């Protein structure tokens, strides 16, 4: 996994609550057996005026000009600012794959859906939960200032505003450690293989039928 | 010291190790696998040269991409076919306890086949790269969806890195009204707490109305837990659970059975257990539900009218209502019973078990689909459900009414195969998600119970089945 340390990135505001993973990456793209190449299809139905199919060359597709990702001022954004319950619905990891492949590294919202939130960390994306009032303020500042950027530093768990003002955010220590170092979680877990084996034999004694 | 909740008992009996920040390594008993979220995980395993830790924990089956008719012609879409063949190859290489390839007599939706084969058992941990894994909580199993990276993690280590959830108790006391089903209870709960209401929680369902539900009903309810934002839903096992499991292929046998039943009887929340949140509903007040919008929380009783955004003071909610009405092609204040449907879908891991098909058939028997309804798909959840329904003659009831009786699979729940809505088409669906485009780009979904879906197919519009049929 790619490590995440810090960025200073352009912010793109997606002003909708309950954005579901079907909207983030529609089902037809789930037929791929690869992990990469989903970026061009991120938010496919909102982004393009035609119907997208896997393998399509997106550079010639008609755009829905008004959709925020298509506005020139947000081109190259690395921070996605959005609303409550982002990433709800299906557990598809294709959603963070698409977000990461598009170029977003940080998502800021008042709340996230659990499975999606978890999936972000596995793909080097930092999801940040901020109070709703703070998210409102970011939306307002972002709308008012073209080229609005934020600095996000994972080590110190701080977001710095263009004004120089800064704000802390929470993250579980284990997740922070993995993200900062780009650690392969499987490798980490397998360091405890003996403990898993010990557990397994104890478990087998209690519920032998699971191992029949 | 306060007693323990069922969730805590399940959690604690699976902790391999715990970090100082509460992050745990949780042992996984059952790993369900389907074709859409597993290919990349197996590929990762191969690249790292890893073997499955315990292949005998794997229950696998393709379901999302498989067609529901003309099985003799195979899977026509080459991309879907490749995904299904990739699963075949992966299971062949890595092994499994149960694998039903495409066209196997017992193949079906993964969340239907786990329980019916007795691989889903009380006291187990069950994961799958699929959010509706919450279904298996109906058995008192700690079951939830995971992402593909986690699928790989479980394959390689038999564990999951996880943190304990908060516990919520949703208590439904009293007697459900006539024709009010588990689906209506689920939708009413989501309507009450919202689609984010369960974020961060594992929900235990309790109360006399829940105990009164059949295992099928409990599965429907736990299935929809994820639509309330909670990854896991739970119902404590009881005699109905034991009765359901007895004799199933992978259920314990002989002395193990007695030992298992004794163990399962300990799996309930202690009387003095503390929950972080409690939500109560009065069963008698729950009516047949219909969603009107593009989120499962946008739901109302069938007798209501769709909301008017002008009455919503909160700006964000108002915009949400306006956007949903526009997408759904509905005018504010339209009575739900006047909404006409183009297609009807009876199926999905929410409502495709035998009891669901019986409830739909009861409404349909001796009647015909309305002329204005273009297509009614009835898609059983598994080969076993299909054969049982045919033994009971339910297929004939559907076919005589002008419905289509199909082969098992996910079908129009998410429209990855050929079964889908065309832009602008409106569907009464027994599935679990009414998101934009879920059943086909531009399609409009109204979530209902099987009996309500069947009634809409006959009448051509939504009806209150308590008054008609
Ligand atoms: S029936 Fe629908 S919700 Fe259930 S597993 Fe299949 S696609 Fe997912």
């Amino acid at each position: 996994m790619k490590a995440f340390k810090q960025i200073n990135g352009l912010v793109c505001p997606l002003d909708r609550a309950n954005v579901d993973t079907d909207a983030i990456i529609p089902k037809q793209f789930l037929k791929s057996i690869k992990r990469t190449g989903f970026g061009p299809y991120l938010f496919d139905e909102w982004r393009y005026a035609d119907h997208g199919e896997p393998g399509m060359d997106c550079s010639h597709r008609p755009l829905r000009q008004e959709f925020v990702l298509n506005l020139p001022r947000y081109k190259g954004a690395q921070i996605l600012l959005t609303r409550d319950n982002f990433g709800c619905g299906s557990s598809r990891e294709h959603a963070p794959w698409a977000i990461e492949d598009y170029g977003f590294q940080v998502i800021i919202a008042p709340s996230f859906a659990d499975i999606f939130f978890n999936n972000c960390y596995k793909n080097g994306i930092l999801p940040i939960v901020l109070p709703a009032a703070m998210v409102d303020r970011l939306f307002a500042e972002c709308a008012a200032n073209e080229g609005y950027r934020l600095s996000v530093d994972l080590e110190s768990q701080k977001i710095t505003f263009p004004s120089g003002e800064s704000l802390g955010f929470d993250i579980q220590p284990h997740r922070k450690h993995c993200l900062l170092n780009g650690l392969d979680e499987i490798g980490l877990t397998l360091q405890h293989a003996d403990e898993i084996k010990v557990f397994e034999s104890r478990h087998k004694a209690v519920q032998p039928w699971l191992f029949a | 010291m306060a007693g323990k909740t069922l969730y805590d008992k399940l959690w604690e009996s699976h902790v391999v190790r715990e970090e100082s920040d509460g992050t745990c390594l949780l042992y996984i008993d059952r790993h369900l696998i389907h074709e859409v979220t597993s290919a990349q995980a197996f590929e990762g395993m191969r690249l790292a040269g890893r073997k499955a830790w315990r292949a005998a924990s794997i229950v696998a089956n393709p379901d999302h991409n498989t067609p529901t008719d003309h099985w003799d012609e195979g899977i026509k879409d080459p991309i879907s076919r490749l995904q299904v063949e990739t699963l075949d190859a992966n299971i062949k290489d890595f092994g499994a306890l149960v694998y039903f390839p495409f066209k196997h007599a017992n193949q079906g939706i993964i969340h239907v086949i786990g329980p019916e084969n007795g691989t889903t058992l009380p006291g187990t941990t069950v994961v799958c790269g699929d959010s509706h894994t919450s279904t298996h909580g109906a058995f008192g199993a700690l079951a939830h969806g995971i992402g593909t990276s986690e699928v790989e993690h479980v394959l390689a280590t038999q564990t999951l890195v996880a943190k304990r959830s908060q516990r919520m108790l949703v208590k439904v006391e009293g007697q459900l009204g006539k024709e009010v089903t588990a689906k209506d209870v689920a939708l009413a709960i989501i309507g009450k707490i919202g689609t984010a209401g369960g974020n961060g929680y594992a929900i235990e369902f309790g109360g006399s109305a829940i105990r009164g539900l059949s295992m099928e009903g409990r599965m429907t309810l736990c299935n929809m837990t994820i639509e309330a934002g909670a990854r896991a839903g739970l119902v404590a096992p009881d005699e109905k659970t034991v009765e359901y499991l007895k004799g199933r292929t992978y259920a314990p046998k002989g002395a193990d059975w007695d030992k298992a039943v004794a163990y399962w009887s300990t799996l309930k929340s202690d009387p003095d257990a503390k929950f972080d949140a409690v939500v109560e509903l009065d069963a008698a007040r729950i009516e047949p539900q219909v969603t009107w919008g593009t989120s499962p929380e946008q739901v109302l009783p069938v007798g209501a009218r769709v909301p008017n955004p002008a009455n919503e003071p909160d700006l964000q909610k108002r915009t949400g209502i306006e956007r949903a009405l526009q997408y759904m092609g509905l005018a504010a204040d339209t009575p739900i019973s006047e909404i006409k449907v183009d297609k009807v879908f009876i199926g999905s891991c929410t409502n495709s078990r035998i009891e669901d098909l019986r409830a739909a058939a009861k409404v349909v028997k001796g009647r015909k689909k309305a002329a204005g309804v273009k297509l009614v798909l009835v898609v059983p959840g598994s080969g076993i459900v299909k054969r049982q329904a045919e033994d009971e003659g339910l297929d004939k009831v559907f076919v005589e009414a002008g419905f289509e009786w199909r082969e098992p699979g996910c079908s129009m729940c998410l429209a990855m195969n050929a079964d889908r809505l065309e832009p602008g088409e409106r569907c009464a669906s027994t599935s679990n998600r009414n998101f934009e485009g879920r059943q086909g780009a531009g399609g409009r979904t109204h979530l209902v119970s099987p009996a309500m879906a069947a009634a809409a197919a006959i009448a051509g519009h939504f009806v209150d089945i308590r008054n008609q049929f």
Side-chain angles (χ1 to χ4, degrees):
Chain A
M1 189 183 77
K2 224 172 63 194
F4 178 95
K5 292 192 165 55
Q6 65 202 63
I7 57 162
N8 175 272
L10 185 69
V11 181
C12 176
L14 178 64
D15 198 357
R16 282 190 182 220
N18 297 315
V19 172
D20 58 79
T21 52
D22 284 65
I24 296 173
I25 184 87
K27 63 195 143 259
Q28 60 271 31
F29 302 104
L30 271 52
K31 294 182 182 183
S32 167
I33 52 172
K34 299 210 179 70
R35 247 174 219 270
T36 50
F38 295 102
Y41 311 110
L42 174 67
F43 298 119
D44 199 84
E45 283 177 24
W46 294 343
R47 203 160 142 202
Y48 302 100
D50 63 347
H51 176 75
E53 281 297 332
M56 246 179 177
D57 174 5
C58 293
S59 55
H60 302 298
R61 292 176 59 193
L63 298 176
R64 294 190 195 274
Q65 296 298 348
E66 69 294 351
F67 182 59
V68 67
L69 253 60
N70 292 330
L71 301 180
R73 65 183 278 192
Y74 299 119
K75 204 168 170 324
Q78 290 165 295
I79 301 177
L80 182 65
L81 176 67
T82 185
R83 298 287 185 183
D84 262 316
N85 203 25
F86 186 79
C88 60
S90 143
S91 61
R92 61 189 69 162
E93 200 160 316
H94 312 67
W97 292 339
I99 287 172
E100 195 266 345
D101 194 49
Y102 179 85
F104 287 117
Q105 294 182 45
V106 173
I107 312 173
I108 300 176
S111 66
F112 290 87
D114 283 348
I115 301 178
F116 175 82
F117 188 71
N118 218 17
N119 282 342
C120 282
Y121 290 106
K122 318 279 178 196
N123 292 284
I125 301 169
L126 173 63
I128 300 179
V129 178
L130 292 183
M134 182 52 71
V135 170
D136 282 344
R137 178 182 147 187
L138 288 176
F139 267 102
E141 289 187 3
C142 191
N145 304 288
E146 192 159 341
Y148 187 77
R149 302 175 80 87
L150 291 171
S151 290
V152 177
D153 183 65
L154 179 56
E155 181 66 59
S156 62
Q157 296 180 225
K158 252 193 344 224
I159 301 176
T160 310
F161 298 80
S163 62
E165 202 185 329
S166 68
L167 175 76
F169 62 86
D170 283 337
I171 179 169
Q172 281 175 21
H174 176 77
R175 285 177 163 158
K176 179 176 174 178
H177 177 70
C178 289
L179 206 51
L180 274 176
N181 299 295
L183 291 178
D184 164 17
E185 218 167 31
I186 295 180
L188 278 183
T189 298
L190 286 174
Q191 291 175 3
H192 306 297
D194 289 343
E195 279 173 80
I196 301 172
K197 283 184 193 143
V198 168
F199 175 90
E200 205 163 41
S201 50
R202 228 176 16 194
H203 195 53
K204 202 167 163 175
V206 182
Q207 301 191 61
W209 52 88
L210 297 179
F211 297 82
Chain B
M1 207 180 86
K4 286 182 177 158
T5 65
L6 171 57
Y7 175 77
D8 292 312
K9 292 181 185 182
L10 294 171
W11 180 273
E12 285 163 15
S13 62
H14 288 85
V15 174
V16 174
R17 58 176 278 124
E18 182 163 357
E19 305 294 335
S20 55
D21 71 345
T23 304
C24 290
L25 213 50
L26 208 63
Y27 188 80
I28 300 304
D29 295 313
R30 295 283 187 239
H31 191 182
L32 311 182
I33 289 179
H34 65 75
E35 78 277 23
V36 177
T37 53
S38 62
Q40 293 87 349
F42 283 112
E43 187 196 41
M45 294 283 286
R46 250 185 220 109
L47 288 174
R50 289 177 175 133
K51 285 197 171 55
W53 181 283
R54 194 161 76 84
S57 69
I58 297 173
V59 176
N61 163 134
D63 52 10
H64 284 63
N65 275 287
T66 54
T68 59
D69 59 355
H70 303 298
W71 270 14
D72 49 321
E73 293 168 20
I75 304 173
K76 281 184 225 145
D77 174 0
I79 316 178
S80 292
R81 191 171 60 234
L82 175 64
Q83 205 169 45
V84 171
E85 288 170 355
T86 303
L87 179 64
D88 289 339
N90 285 332
I91 296 299
K92 194 163 167 272
D93 288 358
F94 287 85
L97 174 69
V98 181
Y99 184 55
F100 299 140
F102 173 48
K103 294 203 267 197
H104 185 284
N106 291 355
Q107 186 216 330
I109 305 169
I110 193 81
H111 306 308
V112 175
I113 70 160
E116 81 185 358
N117 285 290
T119 49
T120 298
L121 295 171
T124 56
T125 44
V126 180
V127 294
C128 177
D130 194 287
S131 59
H132 290 98
T133 311
S134 59
T135 310
H136 308 267
F139 290 81
L142 177 55
H144 63 75
I146 56 177
T148 298
S149 298
E150 290 173 316
V151 169
E152 187 178 337
H153 193 277
V154 175
L155 279 171
T157 72
Q158 211 56 41
T159 63
L160 192 67
V161 177
K163 236 182 145 174
R164 208 188 277 237
S165 302
Q166 303 267 92
R167 314 125 188 107
M168 181 187 286
L169 175 65
V170 174
K171 220 169 150 181
V172 190
E173 293 286 1
Q175 180 89 36
L176 288 174
K178 190 172 126 247
E179 310 289 357
V180 177
T181 67
K183 182 64 163 287
D184 303 300
V185 176
L187 288 169
I189 292 169
I190 296 164
K192 185 173 167 114
I193 70 173
T195 47
N199 272 359
Y201 289 99
I203 298 181
E204 179 175 346
F205 297 99
S208 53
I210 306 298
R211 286 194 300 278
L213 292 175
S214 64
M215 288 314 294
E216 282 86 351
R218 294 176 190 182
M219 284 188 253
T220 301
L221 180 64
C222 288
N223 173 278
M224 295 286 289
T225 318
I226 184 68
E227 309 317 327
R231 288 172 82 173
L234 285 170
V235 176
D238 59 10
E239 56 299 337
K240 282 187 190 163
T241 321
V242 172
E243 196 46 48
Y244 179 97
L245 289 169
K246 198 167 187 174
R248 303 235 168 216
T249 314
Y250 293 93
K253 305 265 149 51
D256 268 354
W257 172 257
D258 298 332
K259 208 173 150 196
V261 172
Y263 177 65
W264 298 343
S265 70
T266 66
L267 299 173
K268 51 179 171 254
S269 291
D270 296 329
D272 57 342
K274 266 193 69 74
F275 288 86
D276 302 290
V278 178
V279 174
E280 294 185 57
L281 276 87
D282 178 358
R285 297 183 60 165
I286 300 175
E287 299 181 66
Q289 306 279 309
V290 182
T291 64
W292 55 267
T294 53
S295 160
E297 70 186 12
Q298 292 174 322
V299 65
L300 284 166
V302 59
R305 291 165 182 266
V306 304
N308 191 329
N311 301 332
E312 175 55 60
D314 181 280
L315 174 67
Q316 219 186 316
K317 285 200 187 127
R318 187 157 71 235
T319 325
I321 296 174
E322 281 165 357
R323 194 176 267 150
L325 289 181
Q326 198 201 7
Y327 181 85
M328 294 298 288
L330 291 171
D333 294 322
T334 307
I336 287 180
S337 58
E338 284 177 14
I339 302 175
K340 292 198 176 70
V341 298
D342 302 303
K343 288 183 178 170
V344 175
F345 173 61
I346 299 174
S348 88
C349 58
T350 312
N351 282 128
S352 65
R353 285 168 279 265
I354 190 68
E355 183 177 273
D356 302 313
L357 302 185
R358 285 183 193 138
K362 197 176 125 215
V363 172
V364 173
K365 199 170 172 72
R367 299 190 169 91
K368 293 259 180 270
K369 129 180 128 52
V373 176
K374 290 185 247 181
L375 176 73
V376 184
L377 280 185
V378 188
V379 185
S382 72
I384 293 180
V385 172
K386 182 168 190 245
R387 285 195 296 280
Q388 187 171 352
E390 288 172 354
D391 286 347
E392 295 178 18
L394 306 185
D395 57 324
K396 292 206 184 60
V397 173
F398 294 129
V399 171
E400 277 160 18
F403 295 9
E404 295 204 13
W405 176 245
R406 294 290 185 89
E407 305 289 350
C410 293
S411 180
M412 210 161 72
C413 173
L414 100 160
M416 270 186 88
N417 65 3
D419 309 336
R420 67 178 62 143
L421 298 180
E422 298 304 322
E425 279 183 342
R426 187 181 301 285
C427 181
S429 178
T430 67
S431 55
N432 41 53
R433 287 189 176 136
N434 52 348
F435 298 158
E436 289 186 13
R438 170 81 178 179
Q439 294 192 292
R444 295 160 172 164
T445 302
H446 297 269
L447 304 176
V448 287
S449 73
M452 286 285 288
I458 302 297
H461 55 85
F462 291 106
V463 290
D464 188 340
I465 37 166
R466 293 171 301 179
N467 309 331
Q468 297 178 45
F469 299 103

